[in-house]
């Protein structure tokens, strides 16, 4: 039984070490860039679990950065990845986050904005509006036109036209410069991406639970068998003890009877 217990513990420890090794088998494009592990993988390096093309990352050797490609916009720099929080922080290499907001289409991807979003309208105006009420977007504006973001319910000035109304994360502040703002995305909350990620994450947990349940059932059965054997041994001991006592009583009685007969024969001889 001790050997069986040792085997179960040894097998479980080996399984956990192997699983931890697989999970920690992360790579990176270069020193200082984010660790890349499931569900992400570097393009051209097919992972063991298959890999969805939407989670492909590229290593830009020229800029020493990790990038991800979105067909609706282009390449964005991966600033950091939090696998526990499922958060992907991105930077626009053009330093114009509003251009990303205008063109990035996440509807056909497993990604969505990490922060809560609210719709804003982009205005293209022929004249500069009052800075007291409107914040101009320099990276989208030119010498003869000016671009602003406003809530869609505001009246559009006569010198402006609505370019597009899109959702913008509330985590963004127009008072932050483009270079200091990171696009926050999350993944796996819609579609098959979440099911695949949860399945991959829960697989080792389920396997460990099955092993522990099986081990507990076997140990319980062995314990019952041991108790049964001990019970039978106790019955045999009690039976032998009873037989011994009975034999002892019979021996004593026979001895007394013989002694009485001997005394009787002595009296008769007198």
């Amino acid at each position: 039984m001790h050997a069986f217990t040792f085997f179960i513990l040894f097998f479980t420890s080996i399984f956990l070490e192997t699983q931890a090794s697989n999970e920690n088998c992360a790579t990176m494009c270069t020193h200082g860039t984010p660790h890349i592990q499931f569900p992400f993988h570097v393009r051209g390096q097919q992972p063991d679990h298959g890999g969805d093309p939407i989670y492909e990352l590229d290593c830009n050797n020229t800029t020493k950065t990790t990038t991800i490609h979105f067909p609706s916009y282009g390449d964005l720099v991966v600033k950091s990845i939090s696998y526990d929080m499922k958060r992907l922080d991105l930077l626009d290499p053009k330093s114009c986050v509003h251009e990303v907001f205008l063109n990035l289409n996440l509807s056909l991807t497993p990604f969505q904005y990490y922060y809560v979003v609210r719709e804003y309208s982009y205005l293209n105006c022929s004249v500069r509006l009052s800075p007291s009420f409107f914040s101009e977007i320099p990276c989208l504006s030119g010498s003869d036109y000016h671009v602003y973001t406003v809530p869609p319910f505001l009246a559009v000035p006569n010198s402006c036209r609505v370019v597009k109304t899109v959702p913008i994360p509330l985590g963004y502040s127009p008072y932050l410069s483009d270079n200091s703002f990171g696009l926050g995305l999350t993944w796996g909350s819609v579609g098959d991406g979440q099911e695949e990620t949860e399945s991959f994450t829960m697989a080792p947990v389920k396997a460990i639970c099955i092993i522990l349940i099986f081990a507990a059932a076997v140990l319980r059965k062995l314990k019952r068998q041991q108790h049964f054997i001990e019970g039978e041994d106790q019955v045999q001991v009690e039976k032998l003890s009873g037989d011994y006592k009975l034999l002892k009583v019979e021996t004593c009685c026979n001895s007394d009877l013989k002694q009485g007969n001997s005394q009787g024969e002595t009296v008769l001889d007198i």
Side-chain angles (χ1 to χ4, degrees):
M1 182 174 179
H2 294 291
F4 178 79
T5 305
F6 173 79
F7 171 77
I8 291 296
L9 295 176
F10 176 77
F11 178 80
T12 305
S13 64
I14 292 297
F15 179 84
L16 291 175
E17 289 178 2
T18 304
Q19 183 62 34
S21 176
N22 291 335
E23 291 182 352
N24 294 329
C25 186
T27 184
M28 63 174 63
C29 289
T30 186
H31 179 72
T33 57
H35 289 273
I36 302 172
Q37 63 188 53
F38 182 86
F40 300 96
H41 61 276
V42 178
R43 187 187 305 273
Q45 299 179 11
Q46 189 70 7
D48 295 336
H49 53 76
D52 192 328
I54 195 62
Y55 293 110
E56 285 183 341
L57 303 180
D58 292 298
C59 296
N60 191 319
N61 296 324
T62 303
T63 59
K64 304 297 182 183
T65 57
T66 305
T67 61
I68 184 172
H69 181 78
F70 291 94
S72 59
Y73 181 74
D75 292 338
L76 293 173
V77 176
V78 179
K79 180 182 178 182
S80 63
I81 305 176
S82 174
Y83 294 94
D84 294 334
M85 300 175 63
K86 290 187 177 181
R87 176 172 172 173
L88 181 70
D89 285 326
L90 305 174
L91 291 173
D92 180 27
K94 303 175 185 177
S95 297
C96 188
V97 67
H98 283 283
E99 186 177 358
V100 181
F101 290 152
L102 274 172
N103 297 283
L104 187 62
N105 183 7
L106 299 176
S107 61
L108 300 179
T109 74
F111 299 102
Q112 61 182 6
Y113 287 114
Y114 184 81
Y115 295 102
V116 178
V117 295
R118 180 178 296 172
E119 287 192 343
Y120 284 86
S121 294
Y122 283 81
L123 304 181
N124 188 335
C125 305
S126 58
V127 298
R128 183 173 279 107
L129 302 180
S130 171
S132 301
F133 301 99
F134 300 93
S135 297
E136 185 175 355
I137 303 173
C139 65
L140 293 180
S141 301
S143 58
D144 55 350
Y145 61 94
H146 310 275
V147 178
Y148 302 88
T149 55
V150 297
F153 55 81
L154 289 183
V156 179
N158 294 330
S159 60
C160 304
R161 64 179 179 86
V162 177
V163 177
K164 196 175 184 180
T165 299
V166 295
I168 293 180
L170 293 182
Y172 170 77
S173 171
Y175 300 102
L176 295 176
S177 64
D178 293 345
N179 292 332
S180 65
F181 175 72
L183 282 162
L185 302 181
T186 185
W187 70 87
S189 56
V190 293
D192 297 333
Q194 182 183 24
E195 296 177 1
E196 180 183 2
T197 302
E198 289 180 352
S199 175
F200 180 84
T201 305
M202 292 302 296
V205 178
K206 293 179 179 179
I208 294 173
C209 291
I210 292 174
I211 292 173
L212 293 178
I213 292 174
F214 174 76
V218 173
L219 290 175
R220 186 177 181 182
K221 184 176 181 180
L222 291 176
K223 191 173 182 181
R224 285 183 175 179
Q225 291 179 349
Q226 184 178 4
H227 288 170
F228 179 76
I229 293 173
E230 291 177 352
E232 285 191 338
D233 292 343
Q234 183 66 26
V235 170
Q236 293 292 336
V237 170
E238 292 178 355
K239 183 178 180 181
L240 291 174
S241 178
D243 293 341
Y244 173 75
K245 291 180 180 179
L246 180 61
L247 179 62
K248 186 176 181 181
V249 171
E250 291 179 352
T251 303
C252 291
C253 292
N254 291 334
S255 177
D256 293 340
L257 182 60
K258 289 181 179 180
Q259 184 176 359
N261 293 335
S262 176
Q263 292 178 354
E265 291 176 357
T266 303
V267 173
L268 291 174
D269 291 339
I270 294 176

